């Protein structure tokens, strides 16, 4: 069976030469690297036998970067220079970071591209550079273990990562010297691991609650085809948020103020995380908090109290689960298995709520921390060409609709959400004004009807359009989304073949819970959005009618119209112009009809006049000849 390699052409290898490939799970809390050895996909340990690499980077004054366990150990004593949970900052802008930065003990400075930089003693670094340090160490671990240079890697990302976050991840990989064969959605990677390992078929749900993100994907497995039916989630919800809830409880119990220093805040978060992890196996745990001023506090947190604290957060994950089922057109009872992914799924309450929601016992056969890396390794092994007889087709989907802005600030969706990727869709558009020789293409992402309610991705211009009457030009706009979920947009004028294109590389991503909010608002405001679209469409139509009418009247109005007829047309046009300023699309529609009725005789006369001019000097027989 052969994997349909549809993402990156040109990566073929010699048929009998084994290529060294790896799968990397770049996680919020921990990261792993895995590879297929002797036909078995397994995570690779460091020299001390540790498989998990803490996703923590410490920068020193000499410019060196310490990654992993040693950096984690230094986090409390050097919080400003020790960066953790950087995945939550990937692809985000400065304003986005400010909204999630209250618990982050870092100093942020704006970068020239809109990307936030973290100030350290080694200089200002971007989240991409921090992630590259983690990837660089994982690359070195893999090459040392496998005994050679990696030909390529598959790096996993949350299914709900938007284009900016995916691009940031890919840039980090390139900066680390990696040849990224593909970005693979984390839930899909888990499905690969379980599907090949268990020979599963049917509908499964992948519930992925990691340190900083939550994904739910509904997949259909059938004879080696992994089809993602729908996906939903929250890019700012995970184990870090559980830690913060516990930290808030400790602060309330201990009387610790919110003005605590960076060292105290980092120690507090580590204490909260330790308590959370302990409560996955015991009914209660003791907590001791030592402040930087040597003040101390001790207490006890029971699992019952812990569950009460985090229940609202766990319930938040069920909303996307409901939406994913609805988008897939199935019920919870249709799901045969639920695969648990991510360290946060070890929390007993999470497993209980998921089991109750799907009425199925969650699958935890493969270590939830390792399953994503294992699936990525299997995919990398095939993409590298090591299994030419393996037949596996992965069909991921795009999480949010993509489209362009049309006249009136309307969103015209070209690729709808939950469309299988890679994909290419094209649609024809035209010009609005006579003689128009250029067109601005505004690419947007979202579910709302108005551009102002969606997210702007990119803008570019198509120039040198042949001057024609309004509506005469044929502009073909093509959207192409590759298997990594990255977008390329091309506009082409059909008669002359003039083209313009752009590879969408936004400098920052969506804000906290923005994707979740965009989808929810698209449902809650569906009726209002529909009316707003109708209003904009009628306003655009009114502008078109008025512009065409005024242009015609200026050309031959005096010649073809009597005074009373001109007065009636002018009155109808004035009424339309007044209604166009209002908010009643029905009134605008009626006013357009009134203008058309008042000018019907004039339109007929113009047509007859044009025919007479065209036939002047010719015989009727000339027009009837074949």
């Amino acid at each position: 069976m052969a994997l349909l390699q549809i993402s990156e052409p040109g990566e073929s290898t010699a048929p009998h030469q084994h290529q060294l490939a790896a799968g990397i799970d770049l996680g919020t809390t921990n990261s792993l690297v895995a590879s297929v050895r002797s036909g078995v996909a397994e995570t690779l340990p460091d020299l001390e036998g540790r498989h998990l690499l803490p996703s923590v980077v410490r920068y020193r004054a000499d410019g060196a970067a310490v990654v992993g366990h040693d950096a984690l150990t230094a986090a409390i004593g050097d919080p400003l220079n020790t960066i953790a949970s950087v995945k939550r900052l990937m692809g985000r802008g400065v304003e986005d970071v400010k909204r999630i930065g209250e618990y982050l003990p870092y100093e942020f400075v704006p970068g020239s591209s809109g990307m936030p930089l973290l100030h350290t003693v080694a200089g200002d670094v971007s989240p991409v550079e921090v992630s590259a340090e983690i990837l660089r160490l994982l690359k070195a671990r893999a090459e040392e273990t496998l005994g050679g240079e990696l030909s390529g890697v598959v790096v996993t990302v949350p299914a709900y990562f938007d284009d900016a976050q995916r691009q940031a991840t890919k840039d980090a990989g390139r900066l680390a010297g990696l040849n990224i064969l593909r970005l693979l959605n984390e839930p899909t990677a888990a499905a690969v691991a379980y599907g090949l390992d268990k020979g599963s078929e049917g509908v499964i749900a992948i519930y992925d609650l990691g340190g900083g993100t939550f994904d739910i994907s509904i997949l259909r497995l059938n004879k080696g085809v992994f089809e993602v039916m729908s996906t939903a989630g929250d890019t700012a919800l995970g184990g870090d948020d559980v830690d913060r809830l516990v930290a808030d409880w400790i602060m309330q119990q201990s009387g610790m103020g919110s003005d605590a220093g960076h060292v105290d805040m980092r120690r507090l978060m580590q204490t909260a995380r330790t308590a959370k992890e302990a409560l996955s196996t015991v009914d209660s745990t003791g907590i001791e908090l030592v402040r930087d001023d040597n003040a101390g506090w001790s207490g006890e947190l029971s699992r019952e109290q812990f569950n009460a604290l985090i229940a609202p957060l766990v319930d938040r994950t069920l909303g996307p689960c409901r939406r994913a089922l609805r988008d897939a057109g199935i019920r919870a009872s249709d799901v045969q298995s639920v695969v648990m992914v991510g360290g946060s799924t070890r929390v007993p309450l999470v497993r209980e709520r998921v089991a109750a929601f799907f009425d199925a016992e969650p699958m935890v056969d493969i270590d939830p921390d390792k399953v994503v890396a294992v699936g990525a390794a299997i995919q990398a092994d095939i993409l590298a060409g090591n299994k030419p007889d393996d037949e596996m087709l992965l069909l991921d989907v795009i999480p949010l609709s993509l489209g362009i802005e049309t006249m009136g600030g309307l969103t015209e969706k070209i690729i709808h959400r939950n469309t299988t990727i890679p994909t290419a869709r094209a649609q024809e558009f035209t010009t609005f004004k006579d003689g128009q020789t250029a067109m601005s293409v505004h690419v947007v992402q979202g579910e709302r009807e108005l551009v102002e309610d969606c997210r702007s991705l990119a803008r570019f211009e198509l120039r040198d359009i042949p001057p024609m009457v309004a509506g005469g030009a044929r502009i073909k706009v093509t959207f192409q989304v590759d298997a990594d979920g990255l977008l390329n947009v091309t506009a082409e004028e059909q008669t002359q073949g003039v083209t313009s294109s752009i590879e969408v590389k936004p400098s920052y991503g969506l804000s906290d819970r923005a994707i979740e909010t965009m989808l929810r608002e698209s449902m809650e405001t569906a009726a209002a959005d529909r009316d707003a679209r109708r209003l904009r469409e009628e306003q655009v139509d009114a502008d078109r009618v008025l512009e065409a009418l005024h242009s015609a009247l200026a050309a031959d109005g005096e010649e073809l119209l009597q005074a009373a007829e001109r007065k009636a047309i002018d009155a109808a046009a004035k009424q339309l112009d007044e209604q166009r300023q209002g908010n009643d699309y029905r009134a605008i529609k009626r006013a357009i009809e009134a203008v058309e009725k008042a000018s019907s005789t004039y339109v007929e006369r113009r047509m007859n006049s044009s025919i007479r001019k065209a036939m002047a000097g010719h015989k009727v027989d000339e027009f009837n000849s074949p």
Side-chain angles (χ1 to χ4, degrees):
M1 304 189 311
L3 176 71
L4 183 58
Q5 187 173 337
I6 41 186
S7 170
E8 300 290 348
E11 296 291 344
S12 58
T13 58
H16 301 295
Q17 180 183 357
H18 183 80
Q19 301 293 313
L20 297 181
I24 293 178
D25 176 8
L26 183 61
T28 304
T29 306
N30 296 294
S31 296
L32 299 96
V33 60
S35 187
V36 176
R37 296 193 290 179
S38 301
V40 178
E42 56 187 7
T43 55
L44 306 178
D46 62 13
L47 295 177
E48 297 183 33
R50 299 171 298 194
H51 291 255
L52 297 178
L53 175 72
S55 301
V56 183
V57 180
R58 181 195 180 200
Y59 290 91
R60 299 191 319 206
D62 60 3
V66 179
V67 183
H69 295 277
D70 292 340
L72 182 61
T73 302
I76 293 177
D78 192 15
L80 291 179
N81 299 303
T82 307
I83 315 301
S85 298
V86 71
K87 186 174 180 177
R88 304 193 79 163
L89 307 179
M90 292 287 279
R92 297 189 183 277
V94 175
E95 292 303 316
D96 303 329
V97 169
K98 286 180 181 179
R99 285 189 284 271
I100 65 174
E102 57 181 299
Y103 285 95
L104 301 178
Y106 314 128
E107 293 181 1
F108 292 101
V109 294
S112 58
S113 64
M115 181 186 299
L117 301 179
L118 298 97
H119 182 67
T120 74
V121 292
D124 297 337
V125 294
S126 69
V128 169
E129 292 172 296
V130 178
S131 295
E133 295 290 353
I134 300 169
L135 291 171
R136 194 173 286 119
L137 184 59
L138 292 172
K139 174 177 181 282
R141 178 191 293 187
E143 292 181 340
E144 184 174 350
T145 303
L146 300 175
E149 186 176 344
L150 291 175
S151 64
V153 298
V154 168
V155 179
T156 62
V157 292
Y160 245 46
F161 256 23
D162 72 343
D163 193 82
Q165 292 165 307
R166 290 171 188 269
Q167 189 62 55
T169 303
K170 209 165 188 180
D171 289 344
R174 280 195 284 263
L175 191 59
L178 291 168
N179 173 30
I180 296 183
L181 301 174
R182 181 174 178 181
L183 296 181
L184 182 64
N185 285 351
E186 291 165 3
T188 308
V192 170
Y194 268 99
L196 295 183
D197 191 53
K198 304 293 182 182
S200 301
E201 291 194 359
V203 177
I204 65 171
I206 312 292
Y207 182 99
D208 184 356
L209 185 60
T213 59
F214 169 66
D215 287 316
I216 177 70
S217 291
I218 308 298
L219 295 89
R220 188 185 303 278
L221 279 60
N222 182 32
K223 297 179 180 179
V225 177
F226 292 70
E227 178 189 0
V228 181
M229 300 171 68
S230 66
T231 186
D234 192 329
T235 59
L237 173 62
D240 286 356
D241 300 283
V242 174
D243 297 343
R244 288 169 186 164
L245 291 174
V246 176
D248 287 342
W249 180 85
I250 295 174
M251 290 177 70
Q252 293 172 5
Q253 299 298 313
S254 65
M256 180 178 175
S258 58
D259 57 346
H262 294 306
V263 172
D264 283 343
M265 289 301 296
R266 181 59 72 93
R267 184 180 284 118
L268 170 67
M269 294 304 297
Q270 187 163 313
T271 301
R273 180 173 301 163
T274 301
K276 174 194 70 176
E277 293 172 352
L279 288 171
S280 291
T281 56
V282 300
D283 292 331
S284 65
T285 183
I287 299 175
E288 291 190 5
L289 180 66
V290 179
R291 304 269 306 266
D292 198 34
D293 58 4
N294 292 323
W297 174 85
S298 62
E300 187 169 332
L301 179 62
S302 69
R303 183 182 291 180
E304 183 179 355
Q305 291 173 301
F306 175 68
N307 287 347
L309 287 174
I310 69 169
L313 187 148
V314 176
D315 288 342
R316 264 179 58 191
T317 68
L318 301 182
C321 290
R322 294 187 184 92
R323 188 174 66 250
L325 290 172
R326 183 171 59 247
D327 289 346
I330 62 173
R331 295 168 297 182
S333 59
D334 296 323
V335 176
Q336 296 169 314
S337 304
V338 183
V339 176
M340 303 298 276
V341 181
S344 297
T345 60
R346 286 191 171 90
V347 175
L349 183 65
V350 172
R351 295 186 178 183
E352 291 171 13
R353 293 290 171 88
V354 171
F357 180 84
F358 288 100
D359 193 23
E361 196 63 30
M363 297 175 64
V364 291
D365 301 41
I366 303 177
D367 187 332
D369 280 321
K370 297 180 179 179
V371 62
V372 167
V374 167
I378 294 171
Q379 173 77 344
D381 192 50
I382 300 173
L383 281 177
N386 292 329
K387 292 185 177 180
D389 296 326
D390 225 6
E391 188 175 299
M392 176 183 22
L393 178 60
L394 303 183
L395 302 176
D396 267 332
V397 295
I398 193 164
L400 283 175
S401 299
L402 296 165
I404 68 170
E405 177 179 359
T406 57
M407 287 300 299
L410 297 174
T411 302
E412 183 66 27
K413 297 182 181 70
I414 295 179
I415 298 180
H416 291 264
R417 69 186 176 99
N418 283 326
T419 295
T420 300
I421 59 173
T423 186
R425 299 284 174 86
Q427 194 164 323
E428 283 196 358
F429 297 88
T430 189
T431 50
F432 183 76
K433 291 187 176 182
D434 291 342
Q436 185 175 334
T437 59
M439 174 182 287
S440 176
V441 180
H442 182 199
V443 184
V444 297
Q445 182 178 40
E447 304 307 314
R448 302 290 294 276
E449 296 294 336
L450 302 184
V451 167
E452 63 192 40
D453 297 320
C454 293
R455 186 208 170 192
S456 174
L457 287 182
R459 297 174 187 267
F460 68 101
E461 290 187 350
L462 176 66
R463 295 187 174 276
D464 298 324
I465 299 173
M468 305 180 191
V469 296
R474 292 169 53 222
I475 313 297
K476 183 180 180 181
V477 177
T478 303
F479 277 45
Q480 293 179 302
V481 180
D482 66 16
D484 294 333
L486 301 178
L487 173 65
N488 186 283
V489 182
T490 302
E492 179 182 10
E493 195 282 316
Q494 297 289 279
T495 60
Q496 299 293 328
V498 180
T499 64
S500 181
S501 65
I502 188 169
E503 182 178 349
V504 178
K505 287 187 177 181
S507 59
Y508 56 89
L510 298 176
S511 60
D512 286 342
R513 304 187 64 200
I515 297 177
E516 172 82 15
T517 301
M518 290 168 78
L519 291 177
R520 186 177 63 251
E521 287 182 350
S522 72
M523 298 171 191
E524 294 174 350
T525 62
D529 279 359
R530 184 183 63 246
D531 290 345
R533 184 178 186 90
R534 287 175 178 171
L535 175 62
R536 294 290 177 89
E537 287 175 339
E538 294 298 341
Q539 288 174 332
V540 170
D541 205 18
D543 291 341
R544 177 187 58 78
V545 168
L546 289 172
E547 184 167 339
L549 179 62
H550 292 321
S551 177
L553 290 173
D556 54 22
E558 296 293 334
E559 176 187 343
L560 299 179
L561 288 172
Q562 298 179 7
E565 294 172 329
R566 176 63 184 266
K567 185 176 180 181
I569 291 175
D570 288 342
K574 181 180 179 182
Q575 179 66 16
L576 174 57
D577 189 46
E578 292 174 354
Q579 293 297 338
R580 189 252 178 267
Q581 309 304 321
N583 295 319
D584 188 345
Y585 70 87
R586 298 179 184 85
I588 298 175
K589 186 177 181 66
R590 289 193 295 269
I592 291 175
E593 292 172 350
V595 169
E596 292 174 344
K597 182 177 180 180
S599 57
S600 59
T601 302
Y602 172 47
V603 171
E604 184 178 341
R605 289 175 188 167
R606 291 199 85 214
M607 186 177 298
N608 292 335
S609 175
S610 298
I611 293 173
R612 283 195 298 270
K613 290 178 181 178
M615 294 184 67
H618 297 278
K619 298 178 180 179
V620 175
D621 292 344
E622 295 179 44
F623 296 95
N624 291 332
S625 60

